[in-house]
Amino acid sequence: MQGKIASRRINKGRGAISPCMLMLVYQILITCGVFGLLAHLLLNLFVFRRPHVFGSRLPSKISVLIPARNEEACIGACLESLTQQNAELYEILVLDDHSEDGTADIIEEWCQRDSRVHRLSGKDLPAGWTGKAWACHQLSEQASGIALVFTDADTMHHPDSIGAALCTLLLKDADMISLWPYQRTQTVAEKLVVPFVHILLLVFLPHWMPGRWRSLGAANGQFIAFLRGGYDEIGGHAAVKNHLVEDVSLARLAKVAGLKVINADGSRLVTCRMYECLADIWEGFSKNLRAGCDGSVFAFLMLQGIQCFCLFLPFLWFVIGLVSCAEWLPWVALQLIGIYLIRFLLVWRVKHSIRGAILHPFGQVLELCIALNSWLQFSQGEMTWKGRTYSAN
């Protein structure tokens, strides 16, 4: 009898799963997740190409459209780079969106220097519109080009930027192309957080996958070019008038409509400094992170959850494993190798800051904190951007 009881105890002990075994399984799964993200990035890099100027004939009328609100620090450099384009531009329309600084005066100076530059005065913002969508809509109504190139006032352009983008658009028989600029960063906060623009774009979105699913759409409003027919077919910016990330929403509409959308590496053709301090980064990313998931709570939580478990927690587990000499430590070391392979691939391809890549865990913490703030602001129903308050619902 006692032998039977002892046998049952032994069998019961053999069937139990120890916490160490559970932790080992967890670390193996996270390692698979990290290297899955790395493989996904490599797939995306095959289709995220740099556009080049070919012998293709460009559209006869190219309209460059720039919304500008309090951009006196950068609008001059932007216009100078655009007037030096190798492509023949028909017009450069700049909409002064109720600027309170010297933006309008600088635009007027350029109107006198180059006959292609024209200043438009923005009309009052109607209810139900975001400021940028309204500005771009007004610009599109005044533009007479066959090709519409929307670009931000804080961008600077290589002389071949517009020619290369439109050549690629025509040769690929596409309707919409977005160049993703080189993001200039100067402060530590910029180097830590701004690279997450490309991380979210290239590590998580499946650009290699064909299809008309809405979730496949992406674009960067710093440089988007349309053929007029495609722009009108999806309803232009009027169709995304209340969306806080109108660029992504435009691309998603185009995908659903069956139009061909190209996202291309513009790091050698366009440069931009998105934000200049942590406060600007905090406000800008808070506006974009929750809104960029197009109202899907599941997508937002999944995106942030994967980043937390696969791109941040391995650094904490590594410290814990070193202190405790844990048997799962080699798996965590593999995870860190995978994370840094991701970061340094992006340093090589889109010129991310090396310092920002090395300090990845600190940048990831900041991104997760901003994501939480984005969630809280949307829960409150309001979002503030460039002095305007919008409904976040």
Side-chain angles (χ1 to χ4, degrees), residues 1-8:
M1 187 72 173
Q2 291 178 349
K4 289 182 178 179
I5 294 173
S7 177
R8 287 174 186 171

Side-chain angles (χ1 to χ4, degrees), residues 124-327:
D124 291 339
L125 182 66
W129 284 78
T130 61
K132 186 172 182 182
W134 175 236
C136 290
H137 174 69
Q138 294 174 81
L139 285 162
S140 69
E141 287 190 317
Q142 297 299 315
S144 55
I146 297 171
L148 306 179
V149 180
F150 294 92
T151 191
D152 284 354
D154 55 2
T155 57
M156 291 193 298
H157 298 253
H158 184 277
D160 285 329
S161 65
I162 292 176
L166 294 179
C167 279
T168 302
L169 186 74
L170 295 177
L171 287 170
K172 299 289 186 181
D173 195 25
D175 303 280
M176 172 183 178
I177 184 170
S178 180
L179 298 188
W180 291 75
Y182 163 62
Q183 303 295 339
R184 289 181 290 117
T185 56
Q186 295 183 18
T187 66
V188 173
E190 290 173 83
K191 295 180 187 299
L192 289 177
V193 181
V194 171
F196 281 86
V197 171
H198 284 111
I199 292 173
L200 297 176
L201 171 75
L202 294 172
V203 177
F204 290 95
L205 290 180
H207 299 284
W208 52 271
M209 184 185 298
R212 299 174 62 167
W213 294 294
R214 187 175 178 85
S215 59
L216 298 180
N220 187 334
Q222 294 165 356
F223 190 109
I224 296 177
F226 284 95
L227 294 180
R228 185 83 205 207
Y231 180 79
D232 291 339
E233 183 177 342
I234 63 174
H237 282 82
V240 295
K241 63 182 183 180
N242 62 347
H243 208 292
L244 288 168
V245 282
E246 79 297 326
D247 45 9
V248 174
S249 194
L250 279 172
R252 288 174 177 167
L253 284 179
K255 275 284 188 180
V256 171
L259 303 184
K260 187 171 182 179
V261 179
I262 296 175
N263 283 282
D265 178 4
S267 59
R268 295 185 178 181
L269 295 170
V270 187
T271 66
C272 179
R273 188 178 182 194
M274 294 177 66
Y275 308 114
E276 297 186 3
C277 62
L278 180 58
D280 291 343
I281 293 170
W282 188 272
E283 185 179 36
F285 273 74
S286 293
K287 173 182 75 74
N288 292 337
L289 285 176
R290 180 68 178 85
C293 291
D294 218 15
S296 172
V297 174
F298 173 80
F300 178 81
L301 293 178
M302 180 66 71
L303 177 64
Q304 299 305 323
I306 292 173
Q307 289 184 83
C308 181
F309 282 98
C310 292
L311 300 181
F312 170 64
L313 286 180
F315 291 90
L316 292 183
W317 288 123
F318 187 72
V319 174
I320 294 171
L322 281 177
V323 172
S324 61
C325 298
E327 61 182 11

Side-chain angles (χ1 to χ4, degrees), residues 96-132:
D96 173 30
D97 186 13
H98 300 87
S99 297
E100 299 169 343
D101 57 7
T103 298
D105 295 334
I106 297 172
I107 299 170
E108 283 296 338
E109 290 176 11
W110 275 97
C111 291
Q112 301 301 317
R113 293 170 61 175
D114 194 308
S115 61
R116 296 171 296 175
V117 180
H118 305 277
R119 173 177 169 264
L120 307 178
S121 294
K123 299 176 183 178
D124 291 339
L125 182 66
W129 284 78
T130 61
K132 186 172 182 182

Side-chain angles (χ1 to χ4, degrees), residues 61-80:
K61 286 187 177 181
I62 302 171
S63 296
V64 179
L65 312 175
I66 310 169
R69 179 174 171 83
N70 297 329
E71 303 284 5
E72 67 174 356
C74 54
I75 186 62
C78 177
L79 288 172
E80 182 174 4

